[in-house]
Amino acid sequence: MLIAPSILAADLADLESAVEICERGGADFLHVDVMDGHFVPNLTIGIPVIEALARRTDLPLDVHLMVSNPGHLLDRYLEAGSSWLSVHWEAAAHLDRLLTRIREKGARAGVALNPATPIEVLDDILPALDFVLIMSVNPGFAGQSFLPYALAKARRLQAKVQERNLEVTIAMDGGVDLDNISRVAAAGVDFCVAGSAVFGSKDPAATIAALRSRAESEAT
Ligand code: DX5
Ligand code: ZN
């Protein structure tokens, strides 16, 4: 299981400590939530912060664009240091073009799906993407409760990926914690974002390791 702590749930006045915690805890990625106050109600961080993070850490940045027009500034997000970049299906009128561009720039191309959006909308585009970020909360805020029906979506996606022999990473984002990560892993998810579960805990670095070991020991 790959673990990507979401820095949205960290102390945003002390991102340096958040990065250090992720490195010490053995995180695989930093998950960076970009919100525009339009596609989602909240506003968070953007290109200058991505650039600053990329300068500070060798951890790859998994950038989740929750913006209405993901084509706008796409190259800038990539050049800022996004290793993995996801755009929302609900916001992307020209998804094929965006995914092609992300790959051309050398990053992994992902599509994020809101909870109410079925996996099946991706049937035709699956071979052109590297990962699907299944939202298990309505995007906009950290600290919300996990929506269990996201598990059925992960299982359906896993079946499609296996049946078609594709290489698509299945990621889950929202409300993932120590209590539910084993069920998430058992549903075929191989990449978990965790915000509050990590940064709201007493020992965030230890929690990153605990999430991984709980996922791996109980996944089968
Ligand atoms: C929600 C964001 C998530 C969020 C995760 O809109 O996309 O990445 O920060 O935080 P938790 O794990 O607290 O739900
Ligand atoms: Zn996210």
Side-chain angles (χ1 to χ4, degrees):
M1 176 68 76
L2 298 166
I3 305 287
S6 166
I7 55 162
L8 183 59
D11 177 358
L12 292 176
D14 189 6
L15 280 180
E16 180 139 41
S17 298
V19 168
E20 185 273 324
I21 285 166
C22 293
E23 290 172 341
R24 186 157 42 88
D28 298 287
F29 293 87
L30 290 187
H31 181 83
V32 182
D33 288 306
V34 177
M35 303 186 189
D36 66 350
H38 189 265
F39 178 67
V40 290
N42 207 357
L43 265 174
T44 53
I45 55 187
I47 290 162
V49 177
I50 297 171
E51 285 170 344
L53 288 167
R55 278 196 296 271
R56 273 306 159 96
T57 183
D58 290 333
L59 284 176
L61 304 182
D62 164 41
V63 175
H64 176 191
L65 290 186
M66 286 161 276
V67 303
S68 286
N69 182 0
H72 179 61
L73 301 177
L74 188 76
D75 281 11
R76 297 276 310 277
Y77 287 109
L78 291 160
E79 286 154 13
S82 308
S83 295
W84 289 37
L85 185 66
S86 56
V87 296
H88 265 266
W89 181 85
E90 300 82 4
H94 304 290
L95 188 58
D96 181 282
R97 180 185 297 152
L98 296 185
L99 296 173
T100 300
R101 184 65 184 155
I102 294 170
R103 283 177 155 184
E104 272 172 9
K105 297 283 278 179
R108 297 280 189 99
V111 177
L113 292 181
N114 281 342
T117 305
I119 285 296
E120 287 69 22
V121 299
L122 300 178
D123 277 354
D124 293 307
I125 197 77
L126 269 186
L129 53 81
D130 298 301
F131 68 108
V132 178
L133 188 70
I134 299 174
M135 294 303 300
S136 37
V137 299
N138 289 291
F141 303 92
Q144 303 179 79
S145 300
F146 183 82
L147 295 169
Y149 71 90
L151 296 173
K153 291 172 69 175
R155 282 192 291 268
R156 295 209 307 281
L157 178 58
Q158 187 193 34
K160 284 175 194 296
V161 167
Q162 285 177 352
E163 198 177 294
R164 295 166 64 181
N165 207 15
L166 298 171
E167 287 201 16
V168 172
T169 298
I170 304 177
M172 186 77 82
D173 183 12
V176 175
D177 61 21
L178 284 166
D179 290 333
N180 60 29
I181 197 165
S182 58
R183 280 182 288 139
V184 173
V189 171
D190 15 55
F191 181 121
C192 277
V193 176
S196 313
V198 170
F199 292 106
S201 71
K202 275 208 181 108
D203 185 344
T207 302
I208 294 168
L211 283 165
R212 189 197 314 283
S213 66
R214 205 165 277 198
E216 286 173 1
S217 65
E218 299 176 40
T220 47

